[in-house]
Short mmCIF file of all heavy atoms in Angstrom, two decimals:
data_model
loop_
_atom_site.label_atom_id
_atom_site.label_comp_id
_atom_site.label_asym_id
_atom_site.label_seq_id
_atom_site.Cartn_x
_atom_site.Cartn_y
_atom_site.Cartn_z
N LYS P 38 6.64 42.63 -34.59
CA LYS P 38 7.12 43.81 -33.84
C LYS P 38 8.63 43.84 -33.88
O LYS P 38 9.24 44.96 -34.19
CB LYS P 38 6.65 43.81 -32.40
CG LYS P 38 7.06 44.99 -31.54
CD LYS P 38 6.47 44.92 -30.10
CE LYS P 38 6.95 46.07 -29.34
NZ LYS P 38 6.51 45.93 -27.85
N GLY P 39 9.32 42.77 -33.61
CA GLY P 39 10.71 42.75 -33.76
C GLY P 39 11.50 43.36 -32.64
O GLY P 39 10.90 43.94 -31.64
N TYR P 40 12.80 43.31 -32.74
CA TYR P 40 13.68 43.98 -31.78
C TYR P 40 14.74 44.81 -32.46
O TYR P 40 14.80 44.81 -33.65
CB TYR P 40 14.51 42.92 -30.95
CG TYR P 40 13.67 42.01 -30.10
CD1 TYR P 40 13.06 40.82 -30.46
CD2 TYR P 40 13.33 42.34 -28.72
CE1 TYR P 40 12.38 39.95 -29.73
CE2 TYR P 40 12.66 41.55 -27.89
CZ TYR P 40 12.13 40.34 -28.37
OH TYR P 40 11.38 39.53 -27.47
N HIS P 41 15.43 45.57 -31.68
CA HIS P 41 16.48 46.46 -32.12
C HIS P 41 17.83 46.08 -31.37
O HIS P 41 17.68 45.50 -30.26
CB HIS P 41 16.23 47.91 -31.96
CG HIS P 41 14.99 48.36 -32.75
ND1 HIS P 41 13.81 48.45 -32.15
CD2 HIS P 41 14.77 48.70 -33.97
CE1 HIS P 41 12.74 48.78 -32.92
NE2 HIS P 41 13.41 49.02 -34.09
N PHE P 42 18.93 46.38 -31.92
CA PHE P 42 20.21 46.03 -31.22
C PHE P 42 20.20 46.85 -29.95
O PHE P 42 19.86 48.02 -29.92
CB PHE P 42 21.47 46.54 -32.12
CG PHE P 42 21.65 45.48 -33.29
CD1 PHE P 42 21.64 46.08 -34.62
CD2 PHE P 42 21.79 44.16 -33.04
CE1 PHE P 42 21.83 45.15 -35.73
CE2 PHE P 42 22.00 43.29 -34.14
CZ PHE P 42 22.04 43.78 -35.42
N GLY P 43 20.61 46.14 -28.86
CA GLY P 43 20.60 46.75 -27.55
C GLY P 43 19.36 46.38 -26.72
O GLY P 43 19.46 46.52 -25.51
N ASP P 44 18.35 45.93 -27.38
CA ASP P 44 17.16 45.53 -26.67
C ASP P 44 17.35 44.26 -25.86
O ASP P 44 18.18 43.40 -26.23
CB ASP P 44 15.94 45.33 -27.60
CG ASP P 44 15.35 46.56 -28.21
OD1 ASP P 44 15.80 47.62 -27.78
OD2 ASP P 44 14.55 46.44 -29.14
N ARG P 45 16.66 44.17 -24.74
CA ARG P 45 16.71 42.90 -24.00
C ARG P 45 15.51 42.03 -24.38
O ARG P 45 14.35 42.53 -24.48
CB ARG P 45 16.68 43.10 -22.49
CG ARG P 45 16.61 41.92 -21.66
CD ARG P 45 16.74 42.13 -20.19
NE ARG P 45 18.07 42.63 -19.84
CZ ARG P 45 18.99 41.69 -19.59
NH1 ARG P 45 18.79 40.39 -19.66
NH2 ARG P 45 20.22 42.14 -19.28
N LEU P 46 15.76 40.75 -24.58
CA LEU P 46 14.62 39.88 -24.93
C LEU P 46 13.72 39.75 -23.70
O LEU P 46 14.10 39.53 -22.53
CB LEU P 46 15.13 38.40 -25.19
CG LEU P 46 15.90 38.29 -26.58
CD1 LEU P 46 16.55 36.89 -26.68
CD2 LEU P 46 14.82 38.37 -27.71
N GLN P 47 12.41 40.06 -23.96
CA GLN P 47 11.35 39.95 -22.99
C GLN P 47 10.75 38.52 -22.95
O GLN P 47 10.30 38.08 -24.01
CB GLN P 47 10.38 40.99 -23.12
CG GLN P 47 10.83 42.47 -23.09
CD GLN P 47 11.50 42.81 -21.79
OE1 GLN P 47 10.97 42.53 -20.78
NE2 GLN P 47 12.73 43.46 -21.87
N LEU P 48 10.72 37.85 -21.88
CA LEU P 48 10.26 36.54 -21.79
C LEU P 48 8.89 36.51 -20.96
O LEU P 48 8.81 37.21 -20.05
CB LEU P 48 11.25 35.55 -21.19
CG LEU P 48 12.55 35.38 -21.84
CD1 LEU P 48 13.45 34.48 -21.05
CD2 LEU P 48 12.42 34.93 -23.31
N PRO P 49 8.05 35.58 -21.35
CA PRO P 49 6.72 35.59 -20.55
C PRO P 49 6.99 35.06 -19.18
O PRO P 49 7.98 34.43 -18.81
CB PRO P 49 5.89 34.54 -21.39
CG PRO P 49 6.89 33.74 -22.10
CD PRO P 49 8.02 34.61 -22.42
N ALA P 50 6.00 35.42 -18.30
CA ALA P 50 6.14 35.06 -16.81
C ALA P 50 6.24 33.59 -16.64
O ALA P 50 6.97 33.15 -15.68
CB ALA P 50 4.93 35.61 -16.09
N GLU P 51 5.56 32.76 -17.45
CA GLU P 51 5.75 31.27 -17.23
C GLU P 51 7.16 30.89 -17.33
O GLU P 51 7.59 29.77 -16.78
CB GLU P 51 4.94 30.55 -18.31
CG GLU P 51 3.45 30.64 -18.15
CD GLU P 51 2.85 31.87 -18.69
OE1 GLU P 51 3.52 32.82 -19.10
OE2 GLU P 51 1.50 31.96 -18.82
N ILE P 52 8.04 31.56 -18.10
CA ILE P 52 9.38 31.22 -18.23
C ILE P 52 10.23 31.79 -17.08
O ILE P 52 10.96 31.09 -16.37
CB ILE P 52 10.01 31.75 -19.61
CG1 ILE P 52 9.33 31.11 -20.80
CG2 ILE P 52 11.44 31.39 -19.71
CD1 ILE P 52 9.38 29.64 -20.85
N THR P 53 10.06 33.08 -16.88
CA THR P 53 10.78 33.74 -15.78
C THR P 53 10.59 33.14 -14.39
O THR P 53 11.55 33.08 -13.58
CB THR P 53 10.64 35.26 -15.87
OG1 THR P 53 9.22 35.46 -15.59
CG2 THR P 53 11.04 35.85 -17.14
N GLU P 54 9.31 32.77 -14.17
CA GLU P 54 8.99 32.21 -12.82
C GLU P 54 9.43 30.79 -12.64
O GLU P 54 9.54 30.31 -11.45
CB GLU P 54 7.50 32.39 -12.64
CG GLU P 54 7.05 33.84 -12.49
CD GLU P 54 5.60 33.99 -12.47
OE1 GLU P 54 4.88 32.96 -12.47
OE2 GLU P 54 5.05 35.09 -12.40
N ASN P 55 9.59 29.93 -13.73
CA ASN P 55 9.83 28.63 -13.58
C ASN P 55 11.24 28.15 -14.19
O ASN P 55 11.53 26.96 -13.96
CB ASN P 55 8.74 27.72 -14.31
CG ASN P 55 7.39 27.97 -13.68
OD1 ASN P 55 7.09 27.45 -12.56
ND2 ASN P 55 6.50 28.67 -14.33
N ALA P 56 11.95 29.08 -14.74
CA ALA P 56 13.24 28.69 -15.31
C ALA P 56 14.38 29.08 -14.29
O ALA P 56 14.38 30.07 -13.73
CB ALA P 56 13.44 29.34 -16.63
N GLU P 57 15.33 28.10 -14.19
CA GLU P 57 16.50 28.31 -13.46
C GLU P 57 17.57 29.01 -14.31
O GLU P 57 18.39 29.86 -13.83
CB GLU P 57 17.05 27.05 -12.85
CG GLU P 57 18.32 27.09 -12.06
CD GLU P 57 18.82 25.78 -11.53
OE1 GLU P 57 18.03 25.15 -10.75
OE2 GLU P 57 19.90 25.37 -11.94
N HIS P 58 17.60 28.62 -15.60
CA HIS P 58 18.58 29.22 -16.48
C HIS P 58 18.07 29.21 -17.97
O HIS P 58 17.35 28.21 -18.33
CB HIS P 58 19.88 28.40 -16.49
CG HIS P 58 20.94 28.87 -17.36
ND1 HIS P 58 21.76 29.96 -17.09
CD2 HIS P 58 21.36 28.45 -18.64
CE1 HIS P 58 22.64 30.16 -18.03
NE2 HIS P 58 22.40 29.23 -18.99
N VAL P 59 18.26 30.24 -18.74
CA VAL P 59 17.84 30.39 -20.09
C VAL P 59 19.03 30.83 -20.97
O VAL P 59 19.76 31.80 -20.57
CB VAL P 59 16.65 31.39 -20.33
CG1 VAL P 59 16.29 31.48 -21.76
CG2 VAL P 59 15.50 31.01 -19.40
N SER P 60 19.24 30.11 -22.09
CA SER P 60 20.23 30.51 -22.99
C SER P 60 19.71 30.45 -24.39
O SER P 60 18.61 29.88 -24.63
CB SER P 60 21.47 29.69 -22.96
OG SER P 60 21.17 28.39 -23.29
N ILE P 61 20.34 31.07 -25.36
CA ILE P 61 19.95 31.04 -26.80
C ILE P 61 21.16 30.48 -27.60
O ILE P 61 22.25 30.94 -27.42
CB ILE P 61 19.55 32.40 -27.31
CG1 ILE P 61 18.40 33.00 -26.41
CG2 ILE P 61 19.09 32.37 -28.75
CD1 ILE P 61 18.10 34.44 -26.77
N SER P 62 20.83 29.53 -28.42
CA SER P 62 21.93 29.03 -29.31
C SER P 62 21.64 29.41 -30.82
O SER P 62 20.51 29.44 -31.21
CB SER P 62 22.11 27.51 -29.16
OG SER P 62 20.88 26.82 -29.40
N PHE P 63 22.76 29.67 -31.52
CA PHE P 63 22.68 30.03 -32.90
C PHE P 63 23.63 28.97 -33.62
O PHE P 63 24.80 29.30 -33.81
CB PHE P 63 23.17 31.40 -33.13
CG PHE P 63 22.70 32.51 -32.26
CD1 PHE P 63 23.11 32.60 -30.94
CD2 PHE P 63 21.73 33.41 -32.75
CE1 PHE P 63 22.53 33.57 -30.11
CE2 PHE P 63 21.24 34.42 -31.85
CZ PHE P 63 21.65 34.47 -30.58
N GLY P 64 23.18 27.85 -33.91
CA GLY P 64 24.01 26.86 -34.49
C GLY P 64 25.05 26.43 -33.48
O GLY P 64 24.67 25.81 -32.36
N ASP P 65 26.35 26.65 -33.69
CA ASP P 65 27.30 26.31 -32.70
C ASP P 65 27.70 27.41 -31.71
O ASP P 65 28.60 27.21 -30.89
CB ASP P 65 28.65 25.87 -33.50
CG ASP P 65 29.20 27.03 -34.37
OD1 ASP P 65 28.49 28.04 -34.47
OD2 ASP P 65 30.27 26.84 -34.90
N LYS P 66 26.95 28.50 -31.72
CA LYS P 66 27.21 29.61 -30.78
C LYS P 66 26.07 29.70 -29.76
O LYS P 66 24.98 29.25 -30.05
CB LYS P 66 27.30 30.94 -31.49
CG LYS P 66 28.33 31.08 -32.48
CD LYS P 66 28.49 32.48 -33.04
CE LYS P 66 27.22 32.83 -33.92
NZ LYS P 66 27.35 34.14 -34.53
N GLU P 67 26.41 30.07 -28.55
CA GLU P 67 25.34 30.14 -27.49
C GLU P 67 25.66 31.20 -26.56
O GLU P 67 26.85 31.60 -26.27
CB GLU P 67 25.31 28.76 -26.76
CG GLU P 67 24.20 28.67 -25.76
CD GLU P 67 24.07 27.25 -25.06
OE1 GLU P 67 24.75 26.42 -25.60
OE2 GLU P 67 23.23 27.11 -24.16
#
Side-chain angles (χ1 to χ4, degrees):
K38 181 180 179 182
Y40 293 92
H41 302 94
F42 289 123
D44 287 352
R45 174 174 288 277
L46 285 172
Q47 302 298 316
L48 300 177
E51 287 86 347
I52 300 296
T53 57
E54 292 173 1
N55 295 286
E57 180 179 297
H58 181 78
V59 178
S60 68
I61 303 173
S62 57
F63 313 73
D65 59 351
K66 299 184 294 184
E67 187 173 353

